[in-house]
Amino acid sequence: MSLVLDSAAQDLLFREARTANTFTDEPVTDEQVQAIYDLVKYGPTAFNQSPLRITLVRSPEARERLVKHMAEGNQPKTASAPLVAILSADNEFHEELPQLLPHFPQAKDAFFSERPVREQAALVNATLQAGYFIMGVRAAGLAAGPMTGFDFAGVQKEFLDDDHTPLMVINIGKPGDNAWFPRSPRLELDQVITTV
Ligand SMILES: Cc1cc2nc3c(=O)[nH]c(=O)nc-3n(C[C@H](O)[C@H](O)[C@H](O)COP(=O)(O)O)c2cc1C
């Protein structure tokens, strides 16, 4: 009774949502991606810096190039998912800060003139946005299969550049047959929350 989100939405986003390992061949359209992005772009980031970048791997040729960088156990699902996205952190996100923070354009130079500072901020905030993105995929009635089991340097070289750090690869689609591993337990509240 403490949650205001209706229980069907709670199930869709959390309780019944699972990490999919197989998919049907129903396509994921650009319209669905647009709807997901239009929702999750409102998730908060520090200074509104919004450093997440998403590479949609749509062509069979690009898919083949990606699959070869995936860990062996991740290859079949990455080869067969209707849509695969490479999520990366833009370490040069400060270039967009005047657009993103119009009431404080000095932030770009005052806080983010140094690359190591930007890399740290981009890692934290783009990873946060990756979480929002997974929830957005679920909100579209789709399943996500996030993966960090891949050759990061290989994916960066093949698809990105020195300014973009790969974070994860996500398979997206409707879950197929035997899509789930058994649900693993979660920590109890008192293992996680300390009140001081
Ligand atoms: C950042 C991240 C990386 C992951 N990497 C892999 C991976 O490389 N291979 C894989 O099979 N599952 C991977 N997973 C899936 C997790 O094991 C799975 O989401 C977790 O066990 C929860 O499963 P559930 O959503 O079905 O409860 C990853 C998940 C996340 C969020």
Side-chain angles (χ1 to χ4, degrees):
M1 296 302 285
S2 300
L3 301 175
V4 297
L5 191 69
D6 72 67
S7 100
Q10 294 169 29
D11 287 343
L12 181 76
L13 297 178
F14 291 99
R15 269 190 298 267
E16 288 178 9
R18 298 294 314 280
T19 299
N21 295 292
T22 70
F23 297 90
T24 69
D25 50 16
E26 186 178 321
V28 177
T29 64
D30 286 337
E31 288 71 25
Q32 286 172 298
V33 174
Q34 177 88 56
I36 292 166
Y37 182 69
D38 285 343
L39 183 65
V40 304
K41 69 184 179 187
Y42 292 111
T45 56
F47 288 96
N48 198 30
Q49 62 194 235
S50 310
L52 178 70
R53 301 293 178 263
I54 301 172
T55 306
L56 297 181
V57 182
R58 283 232 183 256
S59 78
E61 167 272 323
R63 183 75 67 102
E64 210 172 290
R65 286 196 286 131
L66 176 61
V67 167
K68 71 174 197 281
H69 293 292
M70 302 304 294
E72 207 178 321
N74 288 334
Q75 289 187 356
K77 49 193 171 191
T78 306
S80 59
L83 180 62
V84 182
I86 301 168
L87 272 54
S88 63
D90 182 359
N91 298 306
E92 298 297 294
F93 66 84
H94 65 315
E95 297 297 347
E96 270 69 55
L97 264 192
Q99 173 191 346
L100 292 165
L101 209 63
H103 61 282
F104 187 25
Q106 311 89 300
K108 176 184 172 191
D109 297 321
F111 293 98
F112 298 111
S113 59
E114 291 173 24
R115 172 80 176 211
V117 173
R118 293 199 298 275
E119 286 179 1
Q120 168 70 12
L123 178 64
V124 170
N125 288 280
T127 304
L128 259 181
Q129 288 186 286
Y132 306 146
F133 183 74
I134 292 169
M135 305 316 291
V137 167
R138 293 173 169 187
L142 299 167
M147 297 166 293
T148 46
F150 61 89
D151 171 5
F152 278 59
V155 166
Q156 183 169 22
K157 191 154 183 267
E158 190 90 44
F159 294 96
L160 305 170
D161 58 29
D162 288 346
D163 292 334
H164 293 81
T165 305
L167 294 174
M168 65 189 77
V169 174
I170 306 190
N171 297 325
I172 302 168
K174 288 268 167 67
D177 294 336
N178 302 314
W180 330 122
F181 298 137
R183 183 72 124 173
S184 299
R186 289 343 194 224
L187 297 176
E188 297 302 329
L189 178 138
D190 62 4
Q191 294 177 279
V192 174
I193 296 183
T194 309
T195 304
V196 294

